[in-house]
Amino acid sequence: MGNSHVAVLAAVTPDGVLLHTLIGLSFGLLLFLVASGFTLTFGLARFVNLSHGATFLIAAHVAAQVDRRIEVFALAVLAAAVTGVLVALAVFGLARLRWQAITADPTRQVLFTFGCLLVIADVVRNRWDGIPQSVLLPSGLDGSFTIGNATFPIYRVFAMGAAIAIAIGLWWLQERTRFGAMVRAGADDREQLEALGIRTDLLFLAVFALAGGLAGLAGGLGVPLLGASVGQEFDVLILALVAVVVGGLGSLKGAFIASILVGLVDAYGKAWLPTFASFTIMALVVLVLAVRPAGLVDRLSGAR
Amino acid sequence: MTSTQRNRVLSRRSLAAVCALGLVVAACGDGDEDEVTDTVGDSPAEVTDTTADTTSGGADSTEGSSNGTAPSTDATNDATSNDSIPATGEPVQVGVISSYTGNFGLYGDPMELALTLSLESAGTIAGDRPIEVVFEDDATDPAVAVERATKLVEDGASVVVCCVNAGSTFAVAPVLAEAGVPQITPIANPLGLHENPNAFVAAPSVNYDAERLGTYAAETLGYNTAVVLGMDMAYGQAVAQAFSDGFTAAGGEVVSTILPPFGTQDFGSYLAEIPDADVVFGGFAGADGIAFIQQYDQFGLKDRMPLLAHGPLITELLLQAEGPAAIGTTAGFYYSSQLDNAENDRFKAALADANPDLPPSHFTAGSWATGTVLLDALESAGTDAEDGDVMRSAIANTTVDTPWGRISFDADTGYVFGPTYVYSVIDDDGILRHQIDATIG
């Protein structure tokens, strides 16, 4: 169209920079919740779980439904987390029926979990008639505050806080607990771990549940930001994959850094190149992989 | 006898879901999935939905498919309840292409219901010919729509109702023109169909309402500057451009135009770039619309600048999902359920009777009106309904009452012209609804 142009982009003024940075951080931290589950499952079980995007989708819908029914947002988020755990366990349970066959070949994992994604998404489409859902925020979280000329929603600050708290919890779990030690050991050398008498099947179960719970939490916390609508399963999955690949497969730290990077690139990309928003993110992938083919944090080859 | 034939074809995505289901079933050890192939004929089975339901697992589905299953059963009941009306003629075929899956999948079932109800109100009989309707799913994909249209023509459809998605509507038009089969589009679409004399749109073009709203915003509402946003696809580009044209022609100035990609979920960065102006126009629909209107509120813009829109942003179908963020938004459009006329009352009563949870909107009102046009045109075409030229002039000469007043098709363009209603969202005792503010022409 181009019948007029903004003389100065808000993204280059001090207020604008702060605002865009906050927008990018809030989106990136939310993305981390999805990417962390994905990367955990991959790191431990070498299992590519593409149904992760659909887990987010169904959890977001459940959160919206619960919020509309009982009007307690905290319970809505909790319900989303529980939904995430249940869906992930269902996928794990199905995979378990033919575990050897499915895990033997990455193509089969991709086909199997992508199939699960489509099935879950169709269940959601059917259950909610494809009508996008949203939540009503409780008072206190529904306002906004101003920074200079810019206005920022309070809820996004809350969501950032929640995501950071979860990220710290994950770090603690992985670095300071026996469970985390087992997960790290399993990722590095599963046979050795099994030889020590650790039951890796239970470990897998726990990691799948944790990953599902994280995707569910992301869905619940994300509804006020993004809404819940069919089609999200792919958008979220692709962004999570980007964060995981850029961050380095299997690395939580990498996923954290990459998620925030993706959020920031997305925010500034939208400001500077409004109609090429998805291009800027993919440009990031190309750039990072050209310089560091294994991602920012190369966990798999041992060089951290 | 009358029958509503259903031939819901599996969309590509559902097909993929079926393949996945096949994988799952294979993993479980029993692999008989033959039931999920096309069913042709009188069986009202929800083919696509069944596949999803069998896998629903943890999801509770107590009220899930109420929209979807209602029309089929009604249609078959109706076949027996209208024996008193003589239907001695040969059945006449009507093809419908709608979106049951994909981005616009939410519109398919409600629109099928409204069209079916409209035809049923006349016993699904035109003159003495029973009407057979075949519903097809284009999966919001123009390529699939073309394929479906070709099939409908081969199967002998006298007229094809198509589509929800502007891309599909435009892709199908040349195919039907080539075959000499008239096309009726049930909802507002961008301008451009007038190049096909066979195409009719039972609504004003989206450009028409948006441009008049632009003029109204500058002349009557007195806004001098505007920021124009629209989703970057045919619909959003058309309304953004039309609003800008109307606004600038009436002396207003568009200070910025922003076109976020179709499917944007986080509008934060776009909203942060909106400069100060008297008013903001938002050309969004569907899930993008919900996200946009909510974030417009969250980022404090609602308190700074009023939001104007084209109808779909505050359609009653999505209004409750949008919540209080939508209150105060003003739209210019040809339909609102609040319009006061007898045909609108008749439509709303029939819809409420069939599905009380489904709010009336231009999607269903348009399908209802399309049914009325079909009844009228098929009756006047009579035994010559299969003749494309006869059918086309029958539709062109139709004048019928619709939920937004009496309409006839413009001879030059095939679109319908009429008043543009300006309405705002208000909170009526906890229920959000439209309130008509003004009528343009």
Side-chain angles (χ1 to χ4, degrees):
Chain A
M1 312 225 343
N3 46 4
S4 63
H5 295 279
V6 197
V8 181
L9 284 168
V12 295
T13 65
D15 292 344
V17 167
L18 182 59
L19 185 58
H20 282 288
T21 305
L22 283 174
I23 291 167
L25 280 177
S26 55
F27 186 64
L29 283 166
L30 188 70
L31 189 58
F32 168 69
L33 295 186
V34 185
S36 60
F38 189 98
T39 210
L40 269 178
T41 318
F42 183 83
L44 174 70
R46 294 288 183 279
F47 194 91
V48 182
N49 187 1
L50 298 184
S51 73
H52 223 62
T55 308
F56 177 96
L57 177 77
I58 196 168
H61 276 81
V62 167
Q65 176 99 18
V66 170
D67 185 71
R68 288 287 161 124
R69 285 266 167 89
I70 57 176
E71 297 183 355
V72 181
F73 183 66
L75 284 181
V77 175
L78 184 69
V82 172
T83 306
V85 170
L86 292 178
V87 170
L89 287 181
V91 171
F92 180 69
L94 272 178
R96 209 63 202 173
L97 293 173
R98 286 287 181 276
W99 187 254
Q100 296 303 333
I102 291 173
T103 50
D105 180 357
T107 323
R108 292 186 192 167
Q109 288 174 26
V110 168
L111 267 179
F112 170 73
T113 55
F114 192 68
C116 290
L117 172 136
L118 292 172
V119 170
I120 297 165
D122 255 16
V123 167
V124 170
R125 190 182 61 76
N126 237 37
R127 171 64 185 81
W128 282 273
D129 293 327
I131 295 188
Q133 306 289 316
S134 66
V135 296
L136 300 176
L137 286 171
S139 58
L141 288 180
D142 61 348
S144 56
F145 62 91
T146 52
I147 322 154
N149 288 326
T151 308
F152 193 70
I154 291 171
Y155 178 76
R156 288 198 184 223
V157 178
F158 168 79
M160 279 194 270
I164 290 172
I166 293 166
I168 292 172
L170 274 179
W171 172 82
W172 175 81
L173 193 67
Q174 200 182 27
E175 301 293 328
R176 293 284 183 271
T177 66
R178 187 177 151 76
F179 171 75
M182 288 194 288
V183 170
R184 280 179 288 134
D188 288 339
D189 191 339
R190 202 194 310 164
E191 279 82 17
Q192 192 67 38
L193 187 70
E194 281 169 350
L196 289 169
I198 309 280
R199 286 192 55 186
T200 50
D201 51 347
L202 287 181
L203 201 55
F204 284 1
L205 182 85
V207 167
F208 264 84
L210 176 64
L214 286 166
L217 272 175
L221 288 169
V223 189
L225 266 79
L226 311 173
S229 60
V230 177
Q232 233 168 13
E233 68 274 21
F234 294 112
D235 302 333
V236 167
L237 177 68
I238 288 169
L239 288 173
L241 280 176
V242 166
V244 168
V245 169
V246 167
L249 281 164
S251 162
L252 264 186
K253 192 168 85 182
F256 185 79
I257 297 167
S259 297
I260 287 175
L261 203 57
V262 168
L264 290 174
V265 167
D266 183 53
Y268 282 95
K270 283 172 176 174
W272 283 321
L273 299 164
T275 43
F276 299 99
S278 40
F279 162 79
T280 51
I281 289 180
M282 291 309 157
L284 173 77
V285 178
V286 172
L287 265 176
V288 169
L289 293 192
V291 180
R292 295 181 69 96
L296 294 172
V297 181
D298 184 3
R299 193 178 186 295
L300 297 184
S301 60
R304 299 193 204 175
Chain B
M1 67 158 272
T2 60
S3 70
T4 300
Q5 217 177 24
R6 294 179 53 87
N7 183 14
R8 180 78 60 81
V9 176
L10 291 172
S11 71
R12 291 194 303 189
R13 226 170 106 188
S14 296
L15 195 63
V18 171
C19 295
L21 187 66
L23 271 178
V24 172
V25 172
C28 298
D30 61 321
D32 186 13
E33 271 302 306
D34 286 350
E35 54 175 349
V36 293
T37 48
D38 298 2
T39 52
V40 183
D42 291 335
S43 165
E46 283 275 333
V47 183
T48 47
D49 297 356
T50 321
T51 53
D53 273 344
T54 52
T55 60
S56 63
D60 61 317
S61 54
T62 42
E63 50 186 64
S65 53
S66 55
N67 291 353
T69 48
S72 338
T73 43
D74 286 1
T76 38
N77 288 344
D78 197 73
T80 50
S81 66
N82 278 289
D83 286 344
S84 53
I85 303 170
T88 50
E90 282 289 301
V92 59
Q93 290 241 348
V94 171
V96 180
I97 305 172
S98 191
S99 299
Y100 296 87
T101 52
N103 268 331
F104 290 170
L106 67 160
Y107 305 129
D109 285 331
M111 290 178 72
E112 176 179 330
L113 173 63
L115 180 63
T116 308
L117 289 172
S118 175
L119 295 176
E120 274 176 17
S121 71
T124 323
I125 295 167
D128 65 344
R129 303 187 67 177
I131 304 171
E132 289 186 354
V133 190
V134 181
F135 292 95
E136 300 277 5
D137 178 17
D138 75 351
T140 326
D141 182 343
V144 177
V146 166
E147 186 192 306
R148 298 292 109 198
T150 312
K151 178 176 169 296
L152 286 170
V153 169
E154 281 170 4
D155 291 352
S158 292
V159 51
V160 172
V161 176
C162 164
C163 300
V164 189
N165 170 20
S168 296
T169 305
F170 280 87
V172 159
V175 175
L176 294 176
E178 174 83 22
V181 175
Q183 171 184 11
I184 305 178
T185 300
I187 57 167
N189 263 270
L191 271 179
L193 278 175
H194 61 276
E195 286 165 20
N196 288 288
N198 257 12
F200 299 91
V201 184
S205 70
V206 298
N207 311 61
Y208 177 78
D209 285 328
E211 183 170 350
R212 294 175 109 199
L213 180 69
T215 311
Y216 182 82
E219 277 179 3
T220 312
L221 298 176
Y223 297 127
N224 295 318
T225 53
V227 176
V228 175
L229 293 99
M231 51 211 261
D232 198 4
M233 45 92 81
Y235 165 77
Q237 291 162 359
V239 291
Q241 184 67 61
F243 180 88
S244 303
D245 290 348
F247 192 69
T248 47
E253 186 200 350
V254 175
V255 294
S256 177
T257 300
I258 304 171
L259 300 177
F262 183 34
T264 295
Q265 297 177 43
D266 186 357
F267 284 93
S269 302
Y270 299 113
L271 296 171
E273 287 298 326
I274 293 181
D276 279 329
D278 293 342
V279 70
V280 173
F281 174 83
F284 298 93
D288 293 43
I290 298 188
F292 174 77
I293 207 164
Q294 291 194 331
Q295 292 172 23
Y296 189 80
D297 183 22
Q298 288 170 7
F299 277 87
L301 287 153
K302 194 178 152 185
D303 300 331
R304 269 168 49 202
M305 292 177 275
L307 180 62
L308 292 180
H310 184 243
L313 182 62
I314 52 171
T315 173
E316 287 148 302
L317 189 62
L318 303 179
L319 204 49
Q320 305 312 322
E322 289 173 347
I327 295 171
T329 306
T330 300
F333 207 40
Y334 65 100
Y335 181 76
S336 160
S337 73
Q338 299 297 318
L339 295 181
D340 185 15
N341 66 63
E343 182 66 5
N344 198 23
D345 291 343
R346 198 168 79 90
F347 156 66
K348 287 192 291 185
L351 194 67
D353 198 37
N355 183 355
D357 296 331
L358 184 63
S361 65
H362 78 282
F363 298 104
T364 42
S367 294
W368 172 273
T370 301
T372 315
V373 169
L374 283 172
L375 288 167
D376 193 74
L378 286 171
E379 182 169 357
S380 72
T383 51
D384 292 330
E386 279 75 15
D387 184 326
D389 289 336
V390 174
M391 195 59 211
R392 185 181 63 217
S393 60
I395 297 170
N397 293 323
T398 295
T399 300
V400 294
D401 284 321
T402 70
W404 57 94
R406 180 159 296 189
I407 65 162
S408 53
F409 297 98
D410 180 65
D412 294 330
T413 63
Y415 289 82
V416 161
F417 294 97
T420 299
Y421 299 97
V422 178
Y423 51 80
S424 306
V425 178
I426 61 162
D427 184 346
D428 186 4
D429 261 343
I431 303 288
L432 301 182
R433 67 169 179 86
H434 293 163
Q435 174 181 277
I436 313 274
D437 301 328
T439 306
I440 309 173

